[in-house]
Structures are given as structure tokens and as C-alpha cells.
Amino acid sequence: MSEVSSDVTHPFLDDLPPMDAARFAAVEDRVARLLDTRQDVLITQGEALLPLEGAIRAAAGPGTVALNVITGPYGQTFGNWLRDCGATVHDLAVPFHSAVTAAQVRDAFAAHPEIDFVSLVHAEAATGNTNPVAEIGEAVREQGALFYLDAVASVGAEPVLPDAWGVDLCVIGGQKALGGPAGVSAISVSERAWARMAANPNAPRRSYLSLLDWKERWTDAGRTALPHAPAQLEMLALQACLERIEAQGLGTVTARHASAAAATRAGVLALGGGLEPFVHAAADAAPVATTLRVTSGPDASELVAAALAARPGLPLAAGGGALAREMIRVNHYGPDATPAVVLGALDALGTALAERGHVVDAEGARRAAGEAWN
Ligand SMILES: *Cc1c(COP(=O)(O)O)cnc(C)c1O
């Protein structure tokens, strides 16, 4: 039998700082500063689906009457979890090429005054839209409902302000505009949300999904001893990514995403060739990613495949599910929120269209994108 030699060291495995309680708490405090929140922040040891599901299962039960806003695939998922918890769910679905309005939310409250929970996705990377959370938050506050927000795709790309907007449960992840890891995520929890969970006999306890367990064993216990072994690598990566954003300035990072979205949109409008922005109004378009509609000619997945064959590594994808034929996603987030990526995407898509006999204005697209970036 071969023996594992004790002198086989590896810097990546052996030279890592420990993720002890103090360091873990400091990462939580950094997230709280990023969100400008005084609420409790928990770093959840899994991808963002963990706090997204954990928060719904903790806050919702058979007595809950939920307004579930659907502006993309995640809204569908939240509605399914809410129904699974026994909640009465009123879905408010808006076309994926638009955003929901505060007026639509108010209309839903008027039709169903018993609504006491609202679930909303801030920005949807999958559909490219972003919703006016500040205005919706005002309506939710008037209603007195608990406000649950998926800000995974918006954080770092545009302001996310749970306290100012009255968000009770705000979930973020590091893997999109923050340019960080996917394996850990975070949630801010208001006092009202904790109270709702504590009063819910169905809220998960002694469970991987349990936020209340972490409150009891970590937050309320003074954050001096971690209840479980932390995801050390992912936590260190999250710490590094938050440090980088603090050094660059959050405003600089969000401005870079806004520029990338504006440049992509302007570039596509100038390019022509049967491509157009998928989200009709620029104000409804998310800074995190720009979705495009293929109005004629080849389907979206064929165009993306051709563009990627010519320019491997560009953050291009066809839409998911039924959208694969008509939607192209330009995922210009994190390290990809740069002029080079936007111009590369326009170039590669323009070439793929031209090769298929479409008339495009590649030079005009470059010029329009450059002007819009500034
Ligand atoms: C990306 C994203 C998530 C995280 O899900 P993944 O499956 O890891 O991509 C959650 N919510 C929204 C709105 C997202 O865009």
C-alpha cells in the first residue's frame, strides 16, 4: 500500500486562513454594510436557493395569504414552495418583457385585502428585467405584509436597500454582479420576519433549511461559536469579493453594470439583423444582464453556438426552456461588465447574423455601444 507522504503540501489546501467565528461574523458585518442594513444578516452555507427556500418555509404556513409576483422563472418556484407550505397564493404574473408596477401590486391588495406576504424577484438574470422595489415596498408597507425579496441577480448591479425599502427577508448571492462564489449566500432578516417565523409551528427546526436554528445557536448566542463547520473556501472567497468591492466602491461597480446594459441595448438597436432588446422599456431592463429577442431567421441557440464558436468564453447563452428559440442572454456581470465583453458580444452576434445572410451594421453597433457606455 502506498503511504500518503506528510511532506506533500499544497498551498491551495494547506495555507488557508481558518474560518473561525470572528472571521465569519466579520463577513456577515461586511454584507450588512453592503446592504446598508441594521437587520440581522446570516451567511447561509449553500447556494442562494438555500435561504430562498428556507425563508419561505419558515415564514409561510397554512394561514398565510401570499401575493407572489412572477416576472421570470424564480417567481414560479417561489409560488410552488408557498403552496407546498399550505399558503393561499395569489400569483401576479406579468409578461417577461416588462416589469411589475406598484399600481398592479396595490390592485392585488385591493382585490385580496387579506394578503400578508409578498414575494418578489428584484432583477431576473433569466429574463433581463428589473422591478421597482422601492415603490412596491411602499405599497407593501401600507398593506402591512411581510416582504420577501430575491436580490441575487441585482446585488452589485444596482442598489439593494432592504431597510430603506421595507424588505423583511432579502436574499443575495455572490455569483452574479459581485463576481464572487456561488456556494454561500446571505439573507437579511427583520424583527417582524423573525417574529413571523417564531410563531410558525411549521418553520423548519433542527434542519439544514432552518434559519431559526442559526438565529438561536449563532446570532442570539453572540456569534462566538459556529454551530457547524463553515464552508471555508467559499467563505474566504466571499470575504475576498466583498473586500474587492469595498476597495472599488459599490457605486463604481453598479455604474459599470449600468453602462454594460446601456451599451448592449444601444449596440443591439444599432446592429439590426433581426435582433432587438427583449425587455421593451429601458427602465425595466436589468443592469445585470441584457436579454435579446431574435425576431427572424435562425433560432437563438444556433446564433449563440455560432457566436461562441468564433469567440469562446463570451458570456452568451440562449434563453432557458421555451425561450431557447427566441432569447439570447448577454450575461455582462461581475468581471464581464466591461466594454470589451459588450463589444465582443455585439461583434460575435453580428458576424453570426451576417454569415446567415442578415444585414447588420457592425460599425454602427460599436459606435452606439461606445457612446452609450459613457
Ligand atoms: C441567478 C439567480 C439565482 C441563483 O440561482 P442559480 O440557479 O444558482 O443561478 C436566484 N435568483 C435569481 C433571480 C437569479 O437570477
Side-chain angles (χ1 to χ4, degrees):
M1 252 180 77
S2 70
E3 224 175 272
V4 177
S5 157
S6 61
D7 59 13
V8 178
T9 61
H10 191 296
F12 182 68
L13 295 171
D14 303 325
D15 291 347
L16 294 169
M19 182 48 65
D20 55 17
R23 194 185 290 266
F24 193 104
V27 179
E28 286 184 338
D29 294 344
R30 279 210 147 94
V31 172
R33 281 202 294 279
L34 182 81
L35 299 177
D36 200 13
T37 183
R38 305 174 73 84
Q39 299 177 7
D40 285 338
V41 167
L42 287 177
I43 311 260
T44 35
Q45 302 293 288
E47 198 271 338
L49 269 290
L50 171 62
L52 286 169
E53 180 174 356
I56 283 187
R57 295 201 183 276
T64 304
V65 182
L67 175 66
N68 181 50
V69 180
I70 301 175
T71 55
Y74 285 95
Q76 301 274 9
T77 302
F78 302 159
N80 293 340
W81 287 334
L82 285 161
R83 285 182 188 89
D84 194 46
C85 292
T88 302
V89 183
H90 300 288
D91 284 323
L92 169 53
V94 303
F96 291 175
H97 62 252
S98 64
V100 71
T101 65
Q104 287 174 300
V105 170
R106 284 202 165 86
D107 288 348
F109 293 155
H112 308 285
E114 64 288 3
I115 287 169
D116 63 0
F117 182 97
V118 174
S119 44
L120 176 70
V121 176
H122 185 184
E124 297 258 12
T127 43
N129 48 20
T130 187
N131 294 301
V133 183
E135 291 162 38
I136 293 167
E138 248 178 73
V140 176
R141 206 164 15 216
E142 288 163 16
Q143 175 74 4
L146 208 68
F147 193 11
Y148 164 101
L149 186 70
D150 174 351
V152 177
S154 53
V155 68
E158 55 189 306
V160 174
L161 299 166
D163 291 14
W165 299 344
V167 178
D168 296 289
L169 294 156
C170 183
V171 173
I172 66 158
Q175 71 264 43
K176 299 252 168 75
L178 297 182
V184 288
S185 45
I187 181 167
S188 68
V189 185
S190 72
E191 282 306 321
R192 305 165 66 221
W194 282 132
R196 185 82 72 100
M197 294 181 201
N200 180 5
N202 297 331
R205 300 303 305 255
R206 306 294 172 243
S207 156
Y208 200 69
L209 281 174
S210 179
L211 300 174
L212 286 169
D213 284 1
W214 274 81
K215 174 178 170 55
E216 179 184 304
R217 299 175 63 189
W218 168 247
T219 314
D220 289 354
R223 300 195 298 177
T224 50
L226 285 161
H228 305 285
Q232 182 191 15
L233 285 173
E234 302 282 349
M235 290 297 296
L236 290 170
L238 180 60
Q239 175 189 304
C241 117
L242 293 167
E243 282 170 358
R244 182 167 67 180
I245 283 168
E246 284 172 21
Q248 294 173 345
L250 181 59
T252 305
V253 177
T254 56
R256 208 156 43 73
H257 286 85
S259 289
T264 306
R265 191 176 182 87
V268 162
L269 286 168
L271 184 68
L275 277 190
E276 60 183 34
F278 189 89
V279 175
H280 293 186
D284 297 341
V288 69
T290 300
T291 46
L292 312 176
R293 186 190 297 278
V294 185
T295 59
S296 64
D299 76 18
S301 36
E302 182 190 333
L303 271 181
V304 166
L308 288 177
R311 294 282 303 265
L314 278 174
L316 294 175
L323 294 170
R325 295 180 59 83
E326 55 175 316
M327 182 195 278
I328 294 174
R329 296 159 57 186
V330 187
N331 291 318
H332 45 61
Y333 53 71
D336 288 326
T338 62
V341 164
V342 171
L343 294 176
L346 291 168
D347 222 50
L349 290 171
T351 304
L353 283 165
E355 283 167 1
R356 283 158 184 75
H358 288 253
V359 179
V360 295
D361 180 2
E363 190 42 46
R366 289 184 72 82
R367 197 173 338 109
E371 282 164 12
W373 185 280
N374 300 311

